[in-house]
Amino acid sequence: MPHISYSELKDWVTCAFYHKLTRVDKLKGFKGNEFTAFGTAIHAVCEKKLLKEEIDDEGFFVSSFSDCIADLGDDVPVDSGLVDQMVGQGKALLPEIEEAVAEYFGEYNVEAVELKLYEPIIGEDDYMFKGFIDAIVSTPDGKVHIFDWKTCGWGWDSRRRSEKMTTYQLTLYKHFFAQKMNVNPEDVETHFALLKRTAKKNRVELFRVTSGPRKTENALKLLHKALYNIKNKRYIKNRLSCERCTFRHTKECP
């Protein structure tokens, strides 16, 4: 069945015409860069460490990062100096991952990593919601905690921490996780785990994001609005998003 993910929803919110070009016409949009490669490599290490797998942390990270850089392709320019800096930043960050999670949650049990969601959207008979939850842990108080790893520079300010589209990712994950597992949403809490490249201390920071009934209702309304417009082929350009768009001043979007 057709499906929509959070990233696709975010593309549509950013620009419905960009969504058409990449999701409908299947044109290659943003191809990634050194920052996305770093994020993918660090995520891979976080998954291994959360599962308590015995690995050479630094070796695994450096190898994964190198592979991710290579996967960008020859048509993506890479700043080798920046890559070298990122290797050092990643190595400095790695030792703090497990300690930060343990300090934040206290006693916890890992329930899943990279849990796949592929759930029906109530009111949308022909679409599913698809996603992958980075990590799920449970605590002795009966709560289940969903959290998503996010790489960044020095951290997030208060505006970014509360930004609607950023936090809707966790809101939607919580909703469809509760639906998938048939659990009470009130027993599920959501968090971001920041992995800070350039911070000098507290390089790993977790913080809670509220995802109550009203916020869930608003996130689902946005999801339904996007699907209504997508199914009706309404591809309106958002000129406010042109500046950083891959297709700016191209034949696809002159």
Side-chain angles (χ1 to χ4, degrees), residues 53-187:
E53 294 186 15
E54 293 293 331
I55 60 169
D56 171 8
D57 294 357
E58 290 192 0
F60 184 82
F61 164 68
V62 172
S63 176
S64 297
F65 189 30
S66 178
D67 289 343
C68 290
I69 290 292
D71 287 343
L72 292 175
D74 296 335
D75 58 335
V76 176
V78 173
D79 184 335
S80 58
L82 176 59
V83 170
D84 289 342
Q85 289 180 22
M86 287 180 162
V87 169
Q89 292 164 348
K91 288 180 178 180
L93 189 158
L94 296 177
E96 297 187 22
I97 295 172
E98 289 175 288
E99 180 181 339
V101 174
E103 182 177 335
Y104 184 77
F105 289 114
E107 183 182 348
Y108 69 92
N109 184 61
V110 178
E111 300 295 337
V113 296
E114 286 296 308
L115 178 73
K116 182 178 180 178
L117 296 173
Y118 194 72
E119 291 299 303
I121 302 170
I122 296 175
E124 304 287 348
D125 295 336
D126 52 351
Y127 262 84
M128 306 285 280
F129 180 84
K130 182 179 179 179
F132 290 89
I133 299 176
D134 282 350
I136 303 168
V137 303
S138 59
T139 46
D141 59 0
K143 296 291 186 181
V144 175
H145 305 269
I146 289 172
F147 65 98
D148 193 82
W149 303 104
K150 294 293 186 188
T151 51
C152 58
W154 60 269
W156 287 359
D157 59 19
S158 58
R159 182 196 61 80
R160 180 67 191 280
R161 288 170 185 254
S162 59
E163 199 273 324
K164 183 173 69 173
M165 275 309 299
T166 299
T167 58
Y168 274 0
Q169 178 182 11
L170 290 176
T171 304
L172 291 170
Y173 282 2
K174 172 182 172 176
H175 172 78
F176 288 106
F177 169 79
Q179 179 177 301
K180 175 185 178 73
M181 306 305 293
N182 193 27
V183 298
N184 188 340
E186 292 183 2
D187 295 329

